[in-house]
Amino acid sequence: MSGGWRIPGRGAEIDRARPLRFRFDGRDMEGFAGDTLASALMAAGVRVVGRSFKYHRPRGVMTAGAEEPNALVEVIEGPQQTPNVRATVQELYGGLQARSQNRWPGLSFDALAVNDFLHPFLGAGFYYKTFMWPRQFWERVYEPLIRRAAGLGSLSGRADEGEYEKAYAFCDLLVIGAGPAGLMAALRAGRAGADVILAEADTQLGGRLLADLPEIGGQGARDWLAGVRAELAALPNVRVMTRTTVTGAHDGGTYGALERVGLHLADPGDLPRECFWRIVAKRAVMATGALERPIAHPGNDRPGVMLAGAIPAYVNRWGVAPGRRVVIFGNNDSALSAARALTAAGIEVAACVDPRPEAAVLEEFPVYRAAQVVGTRGRMGLHTVQVRHAGGLSEVQADVLGLSGGWNPTLHLACHMNGRPQWDDRIAGFVPREGMVRGLTAAGAAAGRFSTSQCLDDGARAAGEALAAMDMAAPEVTPPAAEDAPYGIAPFWAVDARGRAWLDFANDVTTKDVAQAALEGFASVEHMKRYTTQGMAPDQGKNSNTAALAVLADATGQSIPETGTTTFRPPFVPVSIAALGAGARGKGFAPERRLTSDAQTRAMGAPMIEAGLWYRPSYFPRAGETTWRESCDREVTMVRGAVGVCDVSTLGKIDVQGPDAGRYLDFLYTGRMSSLKPGRIRYGLMLREDGHVMDDGTCARLGEGHFLVTTTTAAAGQVMRHMDFVQQGFCADWALRFASVTEHWAQFALAGPKARDLLNTLLDQPVSAESLPFMACQPVSMAGVRGRLFRISFSGALGYEVAVPARYGAALFARLVEGAEALGGGAYGMEALNVMRIEKGFITHAEIDGRVTAFDLGMQRMVSAAKDCIGKPASERPGLMEDGRGQLVGLRPVDPSDAIDAGAPLYTAEAPARAASWQGHVTSAGYSPTLQGWLALGFLAGGRARHGEVVRIHDALRGRKLMARVCDPVFLDPEGRAMRG
Amino acid sequence: MRIPCPCCGWRDRREFTYYGHETFLHRPAPDAGAEAWDDYLHNRENPAGPTRDLWYHDPCGSWVVVARDTVTHAVAGGEGLA
């Protein structure tokens, strides 16, 4: 069967001087540069390219475009395996490897083809009816069985290693589709100086012109196209994007588009495989053309049955004959045109079958009028077509049958924002209404205007309207003269004859299935679709929707407009998840925020943990330590006994200045900050307006009108947003300004009894316990570098935090670590920091999780009674002050060898671990080497009155059960002697 | 969706953080009573049509009252608070 299918002198898009080798199902074959996989397979004489979804029937290429329901293949590129690739749009490249789908062991013999003989039992709803009983069979037997049989292509099971991109574009006018209408629209808008993007899914500009080759303005179609292409290329304001399918219409003139960048190349080099575009356009012209629809007749799915319009496309674009003898079966004038074009190309048209009684019969080929195709023969390839006509039944030998049931305007994009199209009797199809997508106008065949001349005129009109809407001058253009044949059609959907007639080839849905759905009450179009799965395959019903509607309308006795359509949703063609998620694989573009101490910290071997976008050291392992606990315990002991150093620069720092700064902070915090003296620091709580705690931190008054507030690391962004809202929304006229200075300062905590000794080795002017008391701050200098010193403690030990401009951070950290080590201390990480703050009962966002009030924390006295603040009125609602609410408590295991996990639920000691006896939960837990046991913080219903009680901790998730004693949340040094000393 | 920021012009909505209806700008007096506070905090219309809500432009720190339509998704405009 090799050779002999190419037509000499035809096929302008293939380069016969550049043969390309490829593999299909393990067989080496040859095509030409410019071929699609479908045209190359056709030229190689391959007729069966896949097996159907349900009945595993042999199937061949049916279309010449993205709507292909049958020729779905797997394309294999090294580790990459892409399923359900439409062979009709897969460009051929040297070394392409493709495999047919849904067959085992092979295409010519497929074991599951037995389904085809069982078809009387496998109709619509078969699964729902059959796999009901016995109930326990569902999970163990039926579901695995169905899963194995379902689906078409398969994945490699490995991660996609390909490169993908996403990009944004903006323009005045987006022209979607580069057929005659789109080209005229782009030309007119381009000449008018508008910023134009012309997006074309195909590799070439021209659309149907490439297949039909009509004469335009006295020129051949290809010559005219060459002129247009050159003019568009010369216009700097026009961007032509071929291989780019507009996939969706979205709000605000935004369109999604998928560009195949390197996918068609054997060696794409650095090019990404695909790029997903978001195009924002002031106006858009939808010149997407129309899709031909098949006719449902018995046996209409054999290899060799195609859309009539696809045949001239293969002949004229790729110079390949789909067969030697063709029968055309169509209800409209375009079918006749296709038959004439084939005759002109030297392909024998054995018959043209037209159900219309008035069809003309004076042609160069036999025409059967008032006739229908009622059957076909040829299991692995069509060889006989049965025609019923006034004279009886004829058998016509043919290896190709071209079907044309009319054309559906490709109006999917217009429906993406919930618009519904309207029925047009003139073309027996749905056409878009004006205004379905704001700013988008349909033109040409997409608007139901089918002749070449109408398309050219309509494209120019649509561009003119778009330009006018943008207040841009639209110079008149005279579209060239072209074929303007009237389009005659008599609606004809399904042949009334015995045998299965396919509507949806991809999902194996026949006319019987649709009638069956209606019979069983699934008469609404949306129900029919889901019951039969019509329109739910990769082609999304592009070939079958209208005919299925017509059959449903017939079965329910309604008109097609009354029946309505299903909803078209984006994307118009399948879009790989990898393209949508470009740049987001792994860490993607997520920024990393690194401490100034980062390099030394990593050099010291500290494992890093993420805190928001920050990376912070977990612990600093030393020789001989094999577990994190050993390091953590040693670091805690080090701080409690000597001195530790910790980078705390990640805390949010907001600099607030101005005469009204104090007044503003009074409104923001529960406590009063305006009464703070310069050089002093106060701990503060911020509430949300609904009365719950938003964040906590310190507020230092650096000068009369100058404050520095800190936030937790996690809530820095939220607090900044909140402060902006309060200021802009409620006190915009107050005299103050603030800015985040988090990154400007590197800040280190020094903690432990020797903290002051360490500090004074660095300060140009030493401090004493008296000169800088607890909760005071002052400017300092170290080797001439000016910084800030805060006497605050998050560990409960004697503590300072020293801040320097970020550029000195690394140097200061190195000195601090060196000095601390000389004093028997060292650096400590987040684990030790966490243990020490639990020992002291200090809260973090593990406690203030958004559901907690100041009352719950035992901090109600921090909400000043003397003034208003954000969140205060709501915090006083009775429900937020109830004694039964979860209140912050400490917990220690009754058996000292027990450990506690954060997140574990609390129950009363006597009650079972059931939801009904739930009493609260553990928020934080850690092992305290200081107190030689596990400590935990948590919220317990009415907990403040329950100190001393024993509660049950039953952590079913981690399988841990223990009893714990409730205590005050401050485990260590409740008077705060150490930090005040 | 794009939103006009009074500082930066029309920007993609991914640059914004949503808060809620502009009701949040009309804070009752502290002693306005439970009902007024309940309305302010929780009770909202769910309009099919024009609405005005608050968006924060993260890059520049501007709060914007955005006039938009929940049916057509059209954004009519935006004003800063201050």
Side-chain angles (χ1 to χ4, degrees):
Chain A
M1 289 266 283
S2 68
W5 297 101
R6 293 285 182 185
I7 310 169
R10 298 263 170 182
E13 284 169 40
I14 54 166
D15 183 351
R16 290 178 204 246
R18 286 173 58 207
L20 299 174
R21 297 196 68 79
F22 69 101
R23 266 171 100 81
F24 178 70
D25 276 351
R27 273 176 61 200
D28 283 315
M29 301 183 188
E30 203 171 89
F32 294 118
D35 260 324
T36 65
L37 179 59
S39 67
L41 286 170
M42 208 175 266
V46 176
R47 307 202 73 191
V48 180
V49 292
R51 288 276 180 165
S52 73
F53 182 67
K54 191 160 144 191
Y55 301 122
H56 290 250
R57 285 171 63 91
R59 290 281 170 80
V61 174
M62 194 168 134
T63 73
E67 72 275 25
E68 176 62 35
N70 287 345
L72 306 178
V73 299
E74 285 165 10
V75 173
I76 302 132
E77 305 149 89
Q80 199 96 27
Q81 181 171 323
T82 313
N84 298 339
V85 173
R86 290 141 292 153
T88 48
V89 293
Q90 172 64 56
E91 291 169 64
L92 198 66
Y93 55 81
L96 172 73
Q97 285 201 50
R99 194 158 62 195
S100 59
Q101 302 185 149
N102 209 34
R103 82 290 187 277
W104 185 86
L107 258 190
S108 49
F109 176 76
D110 174 7
L112 272 175
V114 66
N115 282 1
D116 198 25
F117 299 101
L118 298 174
H119 73 84
F121 309 102
L122 296 178
F126 159 73
Y127 299 105
Y128 313 129
K129 293 166 192 161
T130 310
F131 297 114
M132 296 283 288
W133 314 103
R135 205 180 193 135
Q136 62 270 25
F137 266 41
W138 176 250
E139 249 176 64
R140 278 183 295 120
V141 183
Y142 295 148
E143 194 185 332
L145 201 78
I146 293 171
R147 279 193 189 284
R148 263 198 13 185
L152 286 167
S154 58
L155 294 164
S156 67
R158 276 178 283 190
D160 186 337
E161 295 295 328
E163 288 298 320
Y164 296 82
E165 273 183 5
K166 57 181 155 194
Y168 295 79
F170 301 83
C171 62
D172 293 327
L173 182 67
L174 171 65
V175 179
I176 307 161
L183 288 172
M184 277 313 293
L187 269 182
R188 186 172 191 191
R191 286 174 189 166
D195 182 4
V196 177
I197 291 177
L198 173 61
E200 168 55 55
D202 209 327
T203 59
Q204 319 263 330
L205 305 185
R208 260 328 276 188
L209 299 180
L210 298 168
D212 295 337
L213 301 179
E215 198 167 88
I216 299 176
Q219 286 179 294
R222 292 208 151 264
D223 293 334
W224 184 78
L225 281 173
V228 172
R229 203 180 300 125
E231 180 176 350
L232 290 175
L235 286 168
N237 52 320
V238 176
R239 281 170 281 178
V240 176
M241 299 172 68
T242 53
R243 297 188 173 92
T244 304
T245 310
V246 175
T247 55
H250 307 278
D251 284 327
T254 305
Y255 295 84
L258 182 69
E259 182 185 6
R260 305 188 301 283
V261 187
L263 261 186
H264 60 294
L265 301 173
D267 179 15
D270 290 338
L271 290 176
R273 290 162 64 80
E274 294 174 314
C275 177
F276 189 78
W277 289 87
R278 287 181 178 85
I279 301 173
V280 180
K282 292 184 187 135
R283 311 284 302 184
V285 171
M286 185 178 81
T288 43
L291 293 172
E292 199 168 24
R293 51 200 188 209
I295 296 174
H297 65 77
N300 63 342
D301 72 326
R302 298 203 189 280
V305 181
M306 305 177 70
L307 293 178
I311 307 172
Y314 283 103
V315 171
N316 288 328
R317 297 190 63 177
W318 300 290
V320 58
R324 309 236 186 262
R325 270 171 67 89
V326 177
V327 170
I328 298 287
F329 178 29
N331 64 340
N332 66 88
D333 297 342
S334 82
L336 270 178
S337 307
R340 288 182 201 131
L342 293 178
T343 308
I347 293 173
E348 185 187 353
V349 175
C352 188
V353 182
D354 195 325
R356 295 176 294 179
E358 72 281 7
V361 291
L362 287 174
E363 298 285 349
E364 290 178 50
F365 40 79
V367 175
Y368 294 88
R369 66 178 172 195
Q372 294 148 13
V373 172
V374 294
T376 59
R377 292 219 197 95
R379 182 148 179 92
M380 301 305 283
L382 180 76
H383 57 67
T384 306
V385 177
Q386 295 164 312
V387 180
R388 185 173 66 196
H389 50 89
L393 199 67
S394 297
E395 299 229 326
V396 182
Q397 303 300 306
D399 53 0
V400 170
L401 171 58
L403 301 178
S404 181
W407 294 77
N408 290 325
T410 311
L411 46 67
H412 304 67
L413 290 171
C415 300
H416 281 178
M417 290 175 72
N418 244 344
R420 295 282 167 172
Q422 65 190 346
W423 183 255
D424 185 347
D425 278 325
R426 196 178 47 84
I427 62 162
F430 285 100
V431 291
R433 295 172 205 264
E434 210 37 57
M436 290 167 78
V437 170
R438 198 195 287 235
L440 176 126
T441 314
R449 303 181 187 107
F450 289 153
S451 80
T452 309
S453 175
Q454 282 179 322
C455 286
L456 293 164
D457 289 349
D458 212 31
R461 170 200 61 82
E465 286 176 14
L467 291 166
M470 293 185 285
D471 292 325
M472 299 177 82
E476 282 305 317
V477 289
T478 313
E483 159 277 317
D484 196 15
Y487 173 74
I489 180 169
F492 186 81
W493 310 101
V495 173
D496 185 14
R498 268 184 69 85
R500 278 178 294 166
W502 271 263
L503 286 165
D504 185 332
F505 297 82
N507 262 357
D508 264 343
V509 179
T510 65
T511 51
K512 270 185 201 159
D513 295 322
V514 173
Q516 177 79 23
L519 197 67
E520 294 186 21
F522 300 99
S524 126
V525 59
E526 298 283 2
H527 288 156
M528 177 278 285
K529 166 179 170 170
R530 282 153 185 84
Y531 195 57
T532 63
T533 73
Q534 178 274 321
M536 293 168 71
D539 75 333
Q540 289 285 294
K542 290 187 181 69
N543 301 286
S544 58
N545 268 349
T546 311
L549 281 177
V551 171
L552 180 68
D554 186 50
T556 56
Q558 285 186 309
S559 70
I560 295 175
E562 281 168 343
T563 307
T565 62
T566 53
T567 311
F568 296 117
R569 294 186 181 86
F572 174 67
V573 292
V575 178
S576 59
I577 298 292
L580 289 174
R585 186 164 50 206
K587 277 174 53 70
F589 285 125
E592 285 184 10
R593 298 177 85 179
R594 294 188 171 207
L595 297 163
T596 56
S597 61
D598 187 83
Q600 182 174 345
T601 299
R602 289 177 198 259
M604 291 167 78
M608 305 300 273
I609 50 171
E610 292 174 46
L613 296 172
W614 288 101
Y615 286 79
R616 306 186 74 181
S618 190
Y619 55 93
F620 291 84
R622 283 191 183 170
E625 291 171 351
T626 53
T627 65
W628 71 268
R629 261 290 304 283
E630 285 175 72
S631 304
C632 175
D633 289 356
R634 189 252 310 148
E635 287 172 13
V636 171
T637 309
M638 188 179 79
V639 171
R640 296 282 178 227
V643 61
V645 175
C646 181
D647 194 331
V648 292
S649 310
T650 61
L651 293 186
K653 309 176 200 74
I654 300 168
D655 195 281
V656 188
Q657 298 190 33
D660 286 327
R663 187 181 168 203
Y664 168 68
L665 294 172
D666 285 350
F667 189 34
L668 213 53
Y669 281 104
T670 58
R672 196 180 280 285
M673 298 303 175
S674 57
S675 61
L676 200 57
K677 291 190 172 54
R680 303 297 293 193
I681 305 168
R682 201 163 276 166
Y683 174 73
L685 273 188
M686 261 186 219
L687 305 184
R688 293 193 312 241
E689 193 70 278
D690 67 4
H692 295 84
V693 177
M694 173 186 281
D695 198 36
D696 69 339
T698 59
C699 175
R701 189 164 203 169
L702 304 180
E704 186 51 41
H706 189 186
F707 294 81
L708 182 74
V709 303
T710 66
T711 74
T712 57
T713 302
Q718 185 194 0
V719 169
M720 192 66 192
R721 191 160 67 231
H722 174 66
M723 287 176 65
D724 274 328
F725 182 74
V726 172
Q727 191 264 331
Q728 292 170 36
F730 302 137
C731 46
D733 55 344
W734 294 6
L736 75 127
R737 286 289 180 269
F738 53 88
S740 167
V741 294
T742 305
E743 261 100 357
H744 304 55
W745 295 88
Q747 191 156 322
F748 303 97
L750 286 61
K754 294 182 182 172
R756 188 154 50 233
D757 301 339
L758 172 60
L759 185 65
N760 280 335
T761 63
L762 291 164
L763 293 184
D764 296 343
Q765 298 285 325
V767 292
S768 66
E770 296 73 31
S771 73
L772 187 70
F774 184 59
M775 297 304 268
C777 61
Q778 67 174 61
V780 289
S781 78
M782 286 158 287
V785 174
R786 294 186 342 164
R788 291 168 177 167
L789 183 61
F790 308 88
R791 188 164 165 198
I792 50 181
S793 174
F794 193 52
S795 60
L798 169 65
Y800 295 88
E801 289 188 12
V802 58
V804 288
R807 61 187 177 280
Y808 299 109
L812 180 56
F813 182 70
R815 296 251 191 123
L816 287 170
V817 172
E818 191 186 359
E821 286 173 353
L823 292 169
Y828 66 97
M830 292 304 101
E831 296 295 349
L833 178 138
N834 192 46
V835 168
M836 289 188 283
R837 69 95 190 167
I838 293 172
E839 289 175 339
K840 282 296 295 177
F842 291 151
I843 54 172
T844 66
H845 278 280
E847 282 73 39
I848 43 176
D849 64 0
R851 302 174 293 175
V852 163
T853 65
F855 173 81
D856 301 338
L857 295 168
M859 294 185 178
Q860 188 57 33
R861 65 192 159 71
M862 285 187 61
V863 184
S864 167
K867 64 172 188 71
D868 184 23
C869 74
I870 296 287
K872 184 183 169 195
S875 78
E876 290 167 345
R877 284 177 292 171
L880 295 188
M881 302 272 239
E882 272 169 11
D883 284 330
R885 287 179 62 85
Q887 295 173 340
L888 185 69
V889 294
L891 296 159
R892 296 195 69 170
V894 172
D895 176 346
S897 64
D898 277 336
I900 307 181
D901 293 305
L906 306 175
Y907 305 93
T908 42
E910 310 76 29
R914 296 272 155 70
S917 48
W918 187 88
Q919 292 284 298
H921 70 290
V922 177
T923 53
S924 310
Y927 177 81
S928 164
T930 321
L931 297 172
Q932 302 280 308
W934 280 80
L935 313 178
L937 298 175
F939 288 96
L940 178 68
R944 279 197 286 278
R946 294 169 69 174
H947 291 183
E949 185 183 327
V950 170
V951 294
R952 178 195 303 278
I953 297 181
H954 187 147
D955 186 356
L957 200 62
R958 281 159 289 203
R960 188 132 47 197
K961 298 180 189 177
L962 69 146
M963 305 303 280
R965 192 172 301 281
V966 180
C967 60
D968 189 88
V970 185
F971 298 94
L972 188 72
D973 187 16
E975 298 83 23
R977 281 202 194 96
M979 59 189 183
R980 287 168 205 278
Chain B
M1 180 175 172
R2 295 201 301 155
I3 293 171
C5 167
C7 287
C8 313
W10 289 87
R11 306 296 303 170
D12 191 277
R13 65 133 176 89
R14 289 167 186 78
E15 294 182 4
F16 292 82
T17 301
Y18 179 75
Y19 185 26
H21 191 259
E22 67 164 340
T23 300
F24 280 125
L25 291 175
H26 310 297
R27 189 174 188 266
D31 56 358
E35 207 159 303
W37 274 95
D38 187 32
D39 281 344
Y40 171 69
L41 287 169
H42 304 121
N43 297 329
R44 293 291 181 271
E45 297 299 318
N46 183 18
T51 189
R52 287 164 61 82
D53 43 26
L54 290 156
W55 297 72
Y56 181 66
H57 192 219
D58 294 277
C60 79
S62 292
W63 278 95
V64 193
V65 178
V66 177
R68 64 188 185 95
D69 192 302
T70 60
V71 175
T72 65
H73 299 181
V75 176
E79 336 165 344
L81 307 188

